[in-house]
Each structure stands twice: as structure tokens, then as C-alpha cells.
Amino acid sequence: MKVIQYTPEKLQTALVSNSEYLTKVYSKYTKEEKRLLEEGFHAGQPGSLFQLITVHSDSDWILAHPEEPEDFEAFYRKPYRKTPNESQSTIYIQTIGSFGEVAAQTDQYVEWLRDYCQAFFYGLSVKLLPAVAVSETKCSFRVNSNSYNLQILTGDLLQFLKKRKPKDAFCIVGITMIDLYPKDSWNFVFGQASLTEGMGVFSFARYDDNFYKRSYAGRLKKHLQPRQEDYSVFDGYYTPPITSTLLLRSCKTMTHEIGHMFGISHCQWLSCVMQGSNHLDESDRRPLDFCPICLRKLQFAIGFNIAERYKALLHWMDEDQTQTSVKASASHTDPHFTKPTEAFHASKLWVCRCLEIMEKDQ
């Protein structure tokens, strides 16, 4: 295992910049906000809030895809970086295909994702577009010749999203429980985006713990080769059960990919949700939130209060049985599903520590 570690001086330059103007901008943070951001200079030390990146194999993203680390100044000077404005300040989420056998639970799951994005990108509006069936996208599809599961073509989905993108959208993201492929020569892809167009599509299919097992329920019979435009093959097609782990992985993927829409590159400074990942194990090692350098990038783009954002995230993780009981007693006809946040426990403790650091007296 390899550990990637930068000196405190290098991390300070990456966060603050050597630019006189950007240093002046940084000075406008409150002392509480600076205290949190500068915790990153002590990453890797006992009790550190932020952790170092660990590389476990040559197949990990950071070795397989060498990139120049992007500091705040490089982010600031990007010519194609998109920033929300008064006329384009809404993140739209488009669900594609079924998200579960129980419609009410599917709707609840997508609402949880929307609410999480609303807290994560604090200050922006996040809205759900009406769900669409795969047939409505008119996309190409295939049966994977190795895993025998259904896959849909990302390029066609991006073209569909481009037509659906509202005028007030900062970006639009398509999400699906069906596996994806970008072209015939590729086995699969987790997702694909057009950052200049502000749109992307991502699949959660491979976040099912059983996906790589021969017993995976989404495997079709080997001889089945449905013809194009016969979308009936998607009717009743398997979708993974909604678990706490699936919700956690989905939240990570959505926020990582939407982060790219702001022009934030893959992080190579500290352990961060913006780290790239080549496989599920590597994705699971990523934390749920930003390192200080990427947090400053997002805060600069949106302009939120850092402490209020953490409080919003904590509220999302902390919605409890009291609220569930109130909703259940208010309606006996509409089922209410308790949000499965067990997998978020470590992240909740981490957010609490962030708030404690910002609120403690010096």
C-alpha cells in the first residue's frame, strides 16, 4: 500500500494560493471557517479530521490515470468552468427506467437522493423531473456478452437529456439502475458526462453487492438477443434492493459527478469524495465529503456558509423515528419507508466533528 502525502506548505499553497488576489479572497473567510479548512494541513496525524490518500493497487485510479493535481488557483483560472447564476441555478435529476418493484419505495429513494444533493450543494435548488421509461429515450441497448445483463448506450441518453434540459438548469443528471456502455468495444461504464453541456448520466447497477456473482438476478438467458426498439425486455427487469449501502454509494456517485459539473477535477491532495475510482472497492474507500481544497472550490462557486451546509447534511442523516411516526400517523394510505442511514454513521460522526471544530472557542 502506498500513501500519498504532501507537506503542510504545499497543501497551504494548494488551498490558499500564492496569488495576491486569491489570498485576499481567502482572508474573507471567518476564523472558524479557516480553522476547519486548515485542519487539512495536519492530515495523517493521530486524530486528524482529514486523511491521506492510500493507493492499494496498480489498478487504482491515481496510478492508472496520472493527472496533475489541481489546486484552487488552477480551478479558479479554468476557462471553461461553469458557475451557477441567477438564470441557471437549478440541478435537475432525471430518473431513467425502474428503480424498484414497489413504486412508493422507488419514489421515496429518489426523494432521498434529491434531498441529499440539496444539502450537499447547499444554496442551489435541486429538482426531480418526471421519471421516464427506457423506451421514451429511444436509446440503443444490448445484452453484455460477458455478464449477460442489459445495458443502455450512454451517448443516446445524453442526447435525450440535452432535449430535456430546462432553461434554468445549471446541470441535468440522468440516473438509472440499468448498466451502461459508451460504445460497442467497451465492457461497461459507470457513467458519462459532457461538462461543457452541463449534463451526465450515471448507473447504480454495479453498486448491488451481488452484481459480480453468477447468481445475480439481472443475468439474462445466454441465448436471449432482443431486437433493437423492442423495449419490452425492460418490463419487470431486475433492480437491486434499496439498502443503506446502495443509498450511500448512490449519494457518493451523484455528488462526485455533479462536482465535475462545477469544473472540479479529480482530487489528488487528500482523501476526498472527488477522488477518481476504477472499481467498487476504491469507490467505497472514498469519504462522503470534500477535502478542504475541493470544499473551497465548491464554496467559491456557490457561496454557501460552510457551517450551515454541514448542518444541512447532518439534518439529512439525522432524520429520525419521530418524523417517521408523524408521517405514518398522518396518512394510513400512503406507506412511508424509513431512510436507511446505517451506512452513514461514520460520515455523521465526521460532520459532527467538523461542526465542533468550527464552534469551539479559541
Side-chain angles (χ1 to χ4, degrees), residues 87-301:
S87 60
Q88 294 180 315
S89 60
T90 302
I91 296 170
Y92 283 93
I93 299 173
Q94 173 70 71
T95 57
I96 301 167
S98 173
F99 267 68
E101 295 180 1
V102 182
Q105 188 177 23
T106 296
D107 294 343
Q108 184 74 76
Y109 174 73
V110 176
E111 279 289 344
W112 290 331
L113 291 177
R114 189 208 73 83
D115 291 347
Y116 183 78
C117 284
Q118 183 86 62
F120 194 94
F121 299 101
Y122 190 74
L124 296 187
S125 174
V126 182
K127 296 180 180 179
L128 296 173
L129 291 170
V132 297
V134 176
S135 58
E136 293 178 64
T137 70
K138 300 192 184 320
C139 67
S140 299
F141 63 91
R142 72 180 186 184
V143 177
N144 185 289
S145 59
N146 297 312
S147 53
Y148 304 107
N149 60 293
L150 286 171
Q151 295 180 302
I152 46 184
L153 185 65
T154 52
D156 290 351
L157 295 176
L158 289 174
Q159 287 300 312
F160 172 78
L161 291 174
K162 187 175 182 178
K163 296 173 185 175
R164 296 271 290 186
K165 186 179 180 183
K167 291 182 178 180
D168 67 338
F170 169 69
C171 67
I172 179 171
V173 292
I175 58 174
T176 181
M177 287 290 192
I178 302 166
D179 205 24
L180 303 174
Y181 72 106
K183 52 185 177 181
D184 290 341
S185 59
W186 282 52
N187 184 37
F188 80 96
V189 70
F190 283 115
Q192 187 174 347
S194 172
L195 304 187
T196 54
E197 297 275 5
M199 58 187 188
V201 60
F202 318 107
S203 169
F204 304 144
R206 292 177 182 251
Y207 292 159
D208 183 341
D209 285 332
N210 295 316
F211 186 89
Y212 294 97
K213 298 178 181 177
R214 294 188 64 85
S215 59
Y216 177 61
R219 291 171 68 96
L220 302 176
K221 294 179 180 178
K222 292 185 180 181
H223 67 271
L224 182 62
Q225 289 296 330
R227 61 182 178 83
Q228 290 296 319
E229 300 183 11
D230 180 10
Y231 294 101
S232 64
V233 71
F234 291 98
D235 295 342
Y237 183 61
Y238 172 77
T239 54
I242 295 170
T243 64
S244 186
T245 299
L246 181 70
L247 183 60
L248 175 72
R249 290 168 174 168
S250 301
C251 288
K252 269 190 196 180
T253 296
M254 282 201 66
T255 52
H256 173 101
E257 300 299 347
I258 294 173
H260 284 318
M261 304 289 181
F262 289 85
I264 303 174
S265 296
H266 285 126
C267 183
Q268 300 193 52
W269 297 108
L270 298 168
S271 186
C272 176
V273 74
M274 290 308 297
Q275 284 174 245
S277 65
N278 270 349
H279 47 82
L280 187 56
D281 286 346
E282 187 176 21
S283 179
D284 282 345
R285 291 198 301 268
R286 294 184 302 193
L288 195 59
D289 210 337
F290 286 126
C291 73
I293 297 163
C294 293
L295 178 61
R296 187 187 177 193
K297 294 172 185 177
L298 187 70
Q299 194 281 331
F300 180 82

Side-chain angles (χ1 to χ4, degrees), residues 74-89:
F75 164 81
Y76 174 79
R77 300 194 186 283
K78 271 185 176 175
Y80 58 86
R81 178 170 58 83
K82 282 172 62 77
T83 302
N85 54 49
E86 285 188 11
S87 60
Q88 294 180 315
S89 60

